[in-house]
Amino acid sequence: MIEAIGVTKTYRTGSSEVRAVDNAHLHVHSGEFILILGRSGSGKSTLLGMLAGLIRPSAGTVRFKGMDIGILSDDRISEIRAREIGFIFQFSGLLPTITVLENVLVPSLFYRSGDNCRSRALDLLDTVGLSERTAAYPRTLSSGEMKRAAIARALINTPSVLIADEPTGDLDIDTEFEIMELFSRLNREGMTVVMVTHNPDLVPYATRTLGMDRGMLSERFLSLHPGNGSSTGTGNPP
Amino acid sequence: MSNLSGFRFSKLVGRNLANRPYRNIATIFAFALIAGTLFSSQFLSNGAEQSLDAGMDRLGADIMVVPDKYLFAGQTVLLTGEPTTFFFEDAGFEEISRIPGVAKASPQMYIATLFASCCAAPVQMIAIDPETDFTISAWLVDNPGVKMGEDDIIIGSNIIQDPGKELMFYGHIFHVVGTLDQTGTGMDNSVFTRFEDAYVMAGESGAKAVKKLNIPREMASAVLVKVEPGMSPEAVADEIERQVPGTRTILPNGLMSAVNGQLAAVTLLLEGSAVAVTVVSIPLLGLVSALVANEQKKDISILRALGATKGFVTWLILAESFALAIIGSIIGIGVATWFLVIYQDFITFSLKIPFIIPSNLTILAEGGGALLLSVAIAGTASIYPVFRITRSEPYEGIGRGVS
């Protein structure tokens, strides 16, 4: 589905160079639920951005369904993002000037997966428990509600892969559980999920867990579970 | 850009604009100023030109010949109708009809009236020779119900009296038989009578009026000339001035030059203001546009992540700028039109120019031009922010995200 081959991303700040992602190799297979675990600043979001075609790698190649997205036109990459990828930001990423329902409908401006987007948007909002908040503006929502609205928006075009950047970062444990259950259900229904988090408690939801530390991606991950101290391990599917 | 069952592009533009009302008001004001001043300048120039065309059409003449000392007075009769009385010093004007290229020549006599009941100020009386006239006789052909007999007058549109009623000048009573359409020129402030009735009025004035009027017989103030088809009015005018000493000729082009001269200061001020506002506005609007785009950087990055193309983002930024330009221009053009229509008489009086509200087509063209220019300015001001945003990576606005 998605293949990252030796991708590197460096940023220049003044005279120094920051290597956010360093020679990462990753093959995401269809139907997988991949969890990338790492500390804040380890390069997880940058890697996700490159997988989604939002960030151009400094070196290496990202392939989506066999296509090298580095050589595709902007229109083509945008089309892939609109129809194939559901992206969930670390923050809610809702547009503040429009309502929850309208936010969910925004991706239908770029690609329409069916005739009745509005009906599908309402169904999705019902699924994430926001059927009563369709006309609300993002500023009136709680963090959990904003995150759930963003998930509904990511699913509006029935993408083949869901890429989520710390989707449960600032949520209470109950909301985190609901969202992870939803991701798990979507994965069981066939959707590929790639998610980054710094919460090792979420490892059981994944079919494969990877670790990221100082830009380096590895099959081994550093457990950050409080109370357990730091330890290393490998991903354990639930 | 739109989606019938989903979310409309126009709604996104509208909501974004509604989110920053105060800054938009300033931008709209700038566009209103640009479009309003440009439109006003064009409106005045075209209003004067169309007025002059209508006035010359009313006269039906290609050339007006006046005594050489009264060139300005002759222009004034045509342009503003400011009352004046003057005559040729001899009868040499009769030679005009014999000059090659002259198809028709008809004398007119200009008499400034005293105060009359119709009017707040003296008016210009124009006496015509019914035998040779082609000014009023052409109008009479178009108005077959009207006959101009003894003591009958036809009045300009600014003279307040109804046909069938009477008006008194120099103690002589005249019958109003018709009212001419508005031209915006001196014709609107004039009263047309026959030579014979003017002589009778002058003869009675010693006994009936507070001031005696003396008008010499067989004399004229001006001769209106119609040239033969295919002849150049300029060439015929030159020939008249050469062959008939003591004459000067007035042509529509020369009149327009005179009007433009009078309008120059105003149009220069308006056009200068428009250019100054435009020159200042482009970088300012560019700055505002860049600030807005910078504020929207995160939202635009979100849109890009959701599948928006660079074209969509470009169009979104431009659509917001264009919407403000269009709203501002419509307000500016509307206010300018209202002002120019309401204060039409004041403009004519204070600028001493012929002026008529231009035709609807002309107003539409002038308004459309001002609107297009505003949209072009909006587009120009948006070039830099569009360039910046489309050059940046979609994820940059969200943050480099090294987490």
Side-chain angles (χ1 to χ4, degrees):
Chain A
M1 165 92 39
I2 307 176
E3 199 176 359
I5 307 160
V7 290
T8 297
K9 183 67 185 179
T10 51
Y11 292 111
R12 186 169 290 282
T13 49
S15 57
S16 63
E17 199 174 72
V18 178
R19 189 166 285 229
V21 176
D22 189 3
N23 193 30
H25 291 266
L26 174 64
H27 196 156
V28 181
H29 300 277
S30 184
E32 275 193 302
F33 189 144
I34 293 182
L35 200 70
I36 301 172
L37 198 63
R39 285 193 177 94
S40 180
S42 60
K44 308 186 297 291
S45 294
T46 304
L47 179 64
L48 277 199
M50 288 193 286
L51 295 181
L54 292 167
I55 298 173
R56 197 172 287 273
S58 306
T61 305
V62 177
R63 293 182 188 280
F64 187 90
K65 290 188 173 176
M67 292 175 287
D68 179 355
I69 61 175
I71 59 168
L72 295 178
S73 67
D74 177 70
D75 281 5
R76 185 75 185 100
I77 297 172
S78 299
E79 187 191 341
I80 289 170
R81 279 200 294 267
R83 65 188 298 176
E84 300 278 5
I85 299 170
F87 200 95
I88 299 164
F89 299 95
Q90 191 169 357
F91 58 101
S92 80
L94 297 178
L95 300 175
T97 57
I98 54 178
T99 65
V100 166
L101 177 61
E102 289 163 348
N103 261 289
V104 175
L105 285 167
V106 163
S108 67
L109 281 168
F110 319 123
Y111 172 73
R112 200 152 48 124
S113 59
D115 283 338
N116 202 339
C117 302
R118 191 181 170 83
S119 166
R120 176 159 169 75
L122 289 169
D123 286 346
L124 284 167
L125 284 170
D126 189 41
T127 303
V128 297
L130 287 176
S131 55
E132 303 295 317
R133 306 287 279 151
T134 56
Y137 283 87
R139 65 177 176 276
T140 66
L141 302 181
S142 67
S143 299
E145 286 174 325
M146 281 196 267
K147 198 70 82 178
R148 282 184 277 155
I151 292 168
R153 183 180 62 186
L155 299 175
I156 186 74
N157 283 336
T158 325
S160 54
V161 58
L162 191 66
I163 297 180
D165 188 357
E166 299 266 16
T168 59
D170 52 355
L171 300 180
D172 61 80
I173 202 149
D174 292 336
T175 312
E176 181 183 70
F177 175 76
E178 285 171 21
I179 286 173
M180 290 313 297
E181 284 298 314
L182 175 63
F183 284 0
S184 191
R185 181 165 64 81
L186 290 167
N187 179 243
R188 284 197 299 276
E189 288 168 1
M191 188 176 288
T192 307
V193 180
V194 182
M195 174 179 152
V196 302
T197 183
H198 60 264
N199 185 358
D201 289 347
L202 306 181
V203 168
Y205 290 98
T207 56
R208 183 154 60 115
T209 303
L210 302 169
M212 194 140 190
D213 185 34
R214 284 171 285 185
M216 308 284 281
L217 183 70
S218 69
E219 292 288 334
R220 292 166 64 81
F221 62 90
L222 189 67
S223 174
L224 303 166
H225 198 278
N228 285 355
S230 291
S231 63
T232 56
T234 54
N236 299 309
Chain B
M1 290 289 170
S2 66
N3 188 325
L4 291 177
S5 60
F7 184 58
R8 285 196 303 277
F9 175 78
S10 56
K11 195 174 234 181
L12 186 60
V13 173
R15 293 291 178 82
N16 283 347
L17 289 176
N19 197 41
R20 43 174 197 278
Y22 299 112
R23 193 173 303 163
N24 288 345
I25 287 169
T27 310
I28 285 170
F29 180 76
F31 280 118
L33 208 60
I34 293 168
T37 46
L38 273 175
F39 175 78
S40 301
S41 160
Q42 288 297 303
F43 193 98
L44 277 178
S45 295
N46 287 327
E49 193 172 341
Q50 289 193 5
S51 171
L52 210 53
D53 286 346
M56 293 308 285
D57 279 353
R58 166 73 58 247
L59 279 174
D62 299 312
I63 305 166
M64 183 184 192
V65 188
V66 293
D68 59 358
K69 291 177 187 167
Y70 295 98
L71 180 66
F72 181 72
Q75 287 180 341
T76 305
V77 170
L78 291 174
L79 297 179
T80 60
E82 200 171 308
T84 181
T85 304
F86 61 86
F87 299 98
F88 279 101
E89 287 176 354
D90 58 47
F93 65 85
E94 288 177 350
E95 295 169 28
I96 292 168
S97 59
R98 293 192 287 273
I99 289 171
V102 174
K104 289 180 186 173
S106 180
Q108 290 189 341
M109 188 159 55
Y110 302 137
I111 304 158
T113 72
L114 303 174
F115 277 93
S117 56
C118 62
C119 315
V123 298
Q124 179 70 61
M125 179 173 268
I126 299 176
I128 59 164
D129 173 15
E131 298 295 317
T132 57
D133 173 69
F134 48 83
T135 298
I136 293 301
S137 52
W139 184 84
L140 290 171
V141 169
D142 294 335
N143 295 270
V146 181
K147 298 277 182 264
M148 198 173 177
E150 187 179 341
D151 290 336
D152 288 341
I153 53 171
I154 290 170
I155 59 176
S157 61
N158 288 347
I159 309 293
I160 304 163
Q161 189 56 288
D162 295 326
K165 300 283 178 62
E166 294 175 341
L167 278 176
M168 188 163 67
F169 298 108
Y170 286 99
H172 189 84
I173 293 172
F174 292 90
H175 312 293
V176 178
V177 294
T179 305
L180 301 171
D181 293 334
Q182 188 189 27
T183 63
T185 65
M187 300 295 103
D188 297 345
N189 302 321
S190 302
V191 169
F192 289 86
T193 186
R194 306 181 313 161
F195 268 88
E196 282 309 310
D197 297 330
Y199 293 141
V200 172
M201 175 185 75
E204 293 173 351
S205 64
K208 291 184 176 176
V210 293
K211 186 181 173 189
K212 182 168 171 48
L213 173 67
N214 289 309
I215 50 174
R217 289 238 167 206
E218 308 304 326
M219 283 292 175
S221 308
V223 177
L224 298 189
V225 171
K226 208 173 194 39
V227 302
E228 287 175 348
M231 291 298 292
S232 153
E234 285 78 11
V236 175
D238 287 345
E239 198 60 23
I240 291 170
E241 288 188 2
R242 199 177 63 79
Q243 289 196 26
V244 187
T247 59
R248 291 293 298 275
T249 53
I250 300 169
L251 289 101
N253 286 347
L255 274 180
M256 198 58 220
S257 300
V259 170
N260 282 338
Q262 281 162 274
L263 264 180
V266 179
T267 50
L268 190 69
L269 182 71
L270 286 170
E271 286 170 0
S273 307
V275 169
V277 171
T278 304
V279 167
V280 173
S281 292
I282 287 179
L284 277 179
L285 292 170
L287 183 67
V288 170
S289 193
L291 284 172
V292 169
N294 199 47
E295 279 177 15
Q296 285 184 300
K297 207 171 174 183
K298 187 173 170 184
D299 293 349
I300 287 170
S301 295
I302 292 167
L303 289 171
R304 294 277 283 138
L306 296 175
T309 60
K310 284 181 181 175
F312 181 94
V313 170
T314 300
W315 181 229
L316 181 68
I317 295 168
L318 286 177
E320 289 179 19
S321 294
F322 289 162
L324 295 178
I326 290 168
I327 293 167
S329 300
I330 289 171
I331 291 171
I333 291 165
V335 170
T337 307
W338 173 82
F339 181 85
L340 292 165
V341 169
I342 294 289
Y343 293 103
Q344 181 187 356
D345 292 340
F346 175 75
I347 291 164
T348 309
F349 176 76
S350 57
L351 298 179
K352 295 194 184 309
I353 54 161
F355 182 71
I356 194 170
I357 305 296
S359 66
N360 289 340
L361 199 65
T362 308
I363 293 176
L364 273 178
E366 289 163 354
L371 191 71
L372 279 179
L373 189 86
S374 294
V375 169
I377 290 169
T380 307
S382 300
I383 287 174
Y384 179 67
V386 164
F387 176 77
R388 281 287 303 273
I389 281 184
T390 51
R391 289 263 297 178
S392 63
E393 284 191 306
Y395 221 49
E396 270 185 25
I398 298 168
R400 280 177 178 170
V402 285
S403 63

